[in-house]
Amino acid sequence: MDTKELLKKVRKIEIKTRRLSDHIFSGEYHTSFKGRGMTFSEVRQYQFGDDVRAIDWNVTARYNEPFVKVFEEERELTMMLMVDVSGSESFGSKNQFKEEIVTEIAATMAFSATQNNDKIGLVLFSDEIELYIPPKKGKSHVLRIIRELIEFKPKSRKTDVAQALKFLSSVQKKKAIVFLISDFMAPDYEFVLKIASKKHDITGIRVYDPREEKLPNLGMVPMLDAETGEQRLVNTGSKSVRTDYEKYYHEKVKYFKETFSKCGAGVVNTRVDESYVTKLLGYFKSRS
């Protein structure tokens, strides 16, 4: 993609998602996430009516009279956008690819955070960390994120959600609002998610195409093996092959929903032919 075409695409996404974040999401985002982070400010003597759970027992013991910890609302939050850029995100039908919807959702979230003067960081992942942009503020930073989302070419076609979450825990020491955007066709991330969600406010946004749910009967078809990255011929004319595929697909979806809920993380499911705006607004309102 040449520079002129890229800038045109960035501008188009900016106009659409900026309007959404300005008029719809910034207020909802603020209500849902702002002020949930509390940071330690000072200790002072206990006063009648103070919450006993706030007593600092070390200071109390030292001075032989009760002292409480005082917290204040964090003025600034950090949003981390974690985006799956593996091969499955290139799938598309109904006039739109999953990666286009993913880019729009990420851009809308980023502009919403900018409205609140928050920092935004980006992690692009497959089964490895493909790109990391540390959190920063400002419109030019958001435009750089959108540029990467549009033109980045991943090295790997596989997906490893656990690896992405481990990386998040290693680079993001302070609490962050995390939007993990993927189709979640990946196994075994419950343990890592449980640890990460204790520190961060995590929401999994599953973007999917309805045509992925079933394997059509097309006879012998060359397909990419997600585990090995190799192409092999699959007989889609076989009923048992189609049944196994459907079972595998629904198991992964069930695992995503149950695991995120169990770990106290948020869940959003949006189809490529649905309005992600409606889905996200409904999610934000349910949190408020």
Side-chain angles (χ1 to χ4, degrees):
M1 192 186 296
D2 62 34
T3 310
K4 195 175 176 184
E5 192 186 342
L6 174 63
L7 289 172
K8 199 174 162 186
K9 272 199 160 190
V10 171
R11 183 70 184 140
K12 190 180 173 186
I13 286 174
E14 183 197 354
I15 290 166
K16 180 175 182 179
T17 59
R18 190 76 188 256
R19 192 173 65 242
L20 285 172
S21 61
D22 283 357
H23 299 299
I24 302 172
F25 285 112
S26 58
E28 297 296 339
Y29 165 82
H30 180 94
T31 309
S32 298
F33 298 102
K34 208 68 177 170
R36 289 183 176 238
M38 302 298 283
T39 185
F40 175 73
S41 174
E42 60 180 343
V43 292
R44 61 161 171 77
Q45 283 182 298
Y46 177 85
Q47 295 168 2
F48 180 75
D50 283 340
D51 189 340
V52 292
R53 289 173 297 183
I55 291 175
D56 186 320
W57 295 107
N58 291 331
V59 179
T60 297
R62 198 180 310 146
Y63 291 100
N64 214 20
E65 60 177 308
F67 276 77
V68 291
K69 291 176 183 175
V70 179
F71 293 86
E72 63 179 22
E73 186 178 304
E74 283 184 11
R75 297 283 170 252
E76 179 186 279
L77 294 174
T78 297
M79 177 191 284
M80 289 299 299
L81 294 168
M82 303 185 67
V83 181
D84 178 358
V85 289
S86 65
S88 62
E89 294 309 306
S90 301
F91 186 91
S93 59
K94 306 274 187 181
N95 305 319
Q96 237 173 344
F97 287 100
K98 278 195 288 184
E99 59 193 7
E100 293 170 6
I101 302 291
V102 165
T103 299
E104 285 187 17
I105 290 172
T108 304
M109 295 295 96
F111 280 123
S112 298
T114 300
Q115 291 283 326
N116 285 302
N117 202 31
D118 294 338
K119 292 179 181 174
I120 304 109
L122 177 71
V123 176
L124 300 182
F125 71 93
S126 52
D127 62 338
E128 57 186 271
I129 302 307
E130 298 271 357
L131 177 73
Y132 170 55
I133 300 178
K136 266 176 69 177
K137 294 181 183 183
K139 183 187 166 184
S140 61
H141 180 66
V142 173
L143 293 178
R144 184 199 165 187
I145 284 172
I146 296 171
R147 265 200 320 274
E148 293 292 358
L149 286 164
I150 291 170
E151 69 168 356
F152 189 84
K153 298 285 182 281
K155 293 193 282 287
S156 174
R157 297 182 65 85
K158 304 177 201 173
T159 309
D160 190 335
V161 171
Q163 190 67 26
L165 288 166
K166 277 180 198 166
F167 180 77
L168 171 73
S169 296
S170 70
V171 295
Q172 189 59 37
K173 300 301 179 189
K174 283 183 116 181
K175 180 178 178 177
I177 292 161
V178 180
F179 291 103
L180 181 50
I181 312 172
S182 172
D183 58 9
F184 293 95
M185 289 291 114
D188 306 329
Y189 48 81
E190 182 178 345
F191 177 73
V192 193
L193 178 62
K194 197 177 286 181
I195 294 167
S197 58
K198 279 178 182 167
K199 183 192 283 187
H200 305 295
D201 190 333
I202 300 176
T203 300
I205 302 178
R206 186 174 78 93
V207 179
Y208 67 101
D209 191 299
R211 295 194 194 185
E212 289 174 294
E213 294 177 42
K214 290 183 179 180
L215 205 59
N217 183 352
L218 299 170
M220 297 297 285
V221 176
M223 286 192 175
L224 193 76
D225 190 309
E227 294 304 313
T228 63
E230 293 173 2
Q231 268 206 349
R232 58 193 183 96
L233 280 174
V234 175
N235 182 14
T236 62
S238 162
K239 192 179 178 184
S240 64
V241 166
R242 295 198 305 273
T243 303
D244 286 348
Y245 173 86
E246 207 172 320
K247 187 180 172 207
Y248 168 84
Y249 181 89
H250 288 293
E251 276 172 0
K252 289 287 179 285
V253 174
K254 187 180 179 212
Y255 179 72
F256 159 66
K257 291 176 182 174
E258 289 181 353
T259 302
F260 268 70
S261 298
K262 200 191 296 180
C263 294
V267 170
V268 178
N269 289 281
T270 184
R271 266 180 13 198
V272 292
D273 56 344
E274 289 179 318
S275 164
Y276 64 82
V277 176
T278 307
K279 290 294 181 84
L280 290 170
L281 272 176
Y283 172 66
F284 286 166
K285 284 192 166 79
S286 72
R287 287 180 54 113
S288 300

